[in-house]
Amino acid sequence: MEVNNMDKLTGFNIRVYAICVNEDKFLVLHENNYAGKKLCKLPGGGLEFGESTIECLKREFKEELNVTIEIIEHLYTQEEFIEPLVKENKQLFIVYYVVKILNISDLHINIPDIEKSEWIDFNKESPLTLPLDKKALNIFVQRGCSGNDAIYRLRL
């Protein structure tokens, strides 16, 4: 793939996201102003220097949604080059996990950038807007992991 402005890249923007399952649904976040656009994405965010991908995901869920998560498994690591929507001088690199919220009754949005959270039924069309989020969700569903016993089946 030919990359525009490759010589202008000065580092990486490492992102960590999750398919968060509750019964027959997965969690999405709606943002009003992500690089000037409305966005529906999986929960997660940017890796901070000195933290692991798992520490990043746990921190992001706590900061954004006030919940504690359990990491079930690694789902997917990005294989292709993607030009970022923001931080144009950084190469985007994304890792996906499958997680479970341990204190779901405490879920509420802590930051103004997120308009709302929504649980989406696996049997309905996904509202996700980012191509790599869609790919991660498809990988999860192709494994036969959606449904009431998804977490149990992943642990086998």
Side-chain angles (χ1 to χ4, degrees):
M1 170 186 228
E2 187 176 316
V3 180
N4 296 330
N5 301 319
M6 179 77 105
D7 57 333
K8 295 182 181 176
L9 295 177
T10 60
F12 292 92
N13 179 5
I14 302 170
R15 315 293 292 175
V16 187
Y17 294 103
I19 304 284
C20 182
V21 178
N22 184 35
E23 297 178 4
D24 286 325
K25 299 178 180 178
F26 65 99
L27 184 63
V28 299
L29 304 178
H30 296 269
E31 291 190 19
N32 273 332
N33 192 17
Y34 188 86
K37 301 177 182 181
K38 284 193 170 202
L39 184 71
C40 180
K41 68 180 195 78
L42 295 171
L47 185 76
E48 293 181 357
F49 187 77
E51 70 182 351
S52 71
T53 56
I54 290 173
E55 290 168 337
C56 170
L57 202 53
K58 288 181 176 183
R59 175 185 51 75
E60 289 286 344
F61 269 81
K62 191 65 168 171
E63 285 177 2
E64 294 181 356
L65 302 171
N66 193 51
V67 293
T68 303
I69 59 170
E70 175 185 353
I71 305 293
I72 304 303
E73 73 166 355
H74 169 264
L75 177 67
Y76 174 71
T77 299
Q78 170 190 339
E79 298 169 343
E80 58 276 348
F81 178 85
I82 296 176
E83 291 191 53
L85 295 174
V86 295
K87 298 184 182 180
E88 288 113 14
N89 62 335
K90 305 287 184 188
Q91 180 175 337
L92 191 61
F93 185 77
I94 305 174
V95 180
Y96 290 87
Y97 288 91
V98 178
V99 304
K100 176 183 176 183
I101 294 176
L102 300 177
N103 56 332
I104 202 161
S105 62
D106 293 336
L107 188 138
H108 71 271
I109 297 168
N110 285 336
I111 62 171
D113 293 342
I114 299 173
E115 177 188 354
K116 69 177 181 172
S117 63
E118 181 180 12
W119 291 98
I120 305 296
D121 192 305
F122 280 103
N123 298 318
K124 294 188 177 175
E125 186 175 338
S126 165
L128 293 170
T129 53
L130 298 174
L132 214 54
D133 282 3
K134 291 177 185 180
K135 183 174 184 172
L137 181 63
N138 285 336
I139 290 168
F140 182 77
V141 171
Q142 286 174 359
R143 287 186 181 180
C145 293
S146 59
N148 286 329
D149 58 344
I151 301 299
Y152 172 76
R153 282 187 276 159
L154 284 167
R155 288 183 173 162
L156 294 179

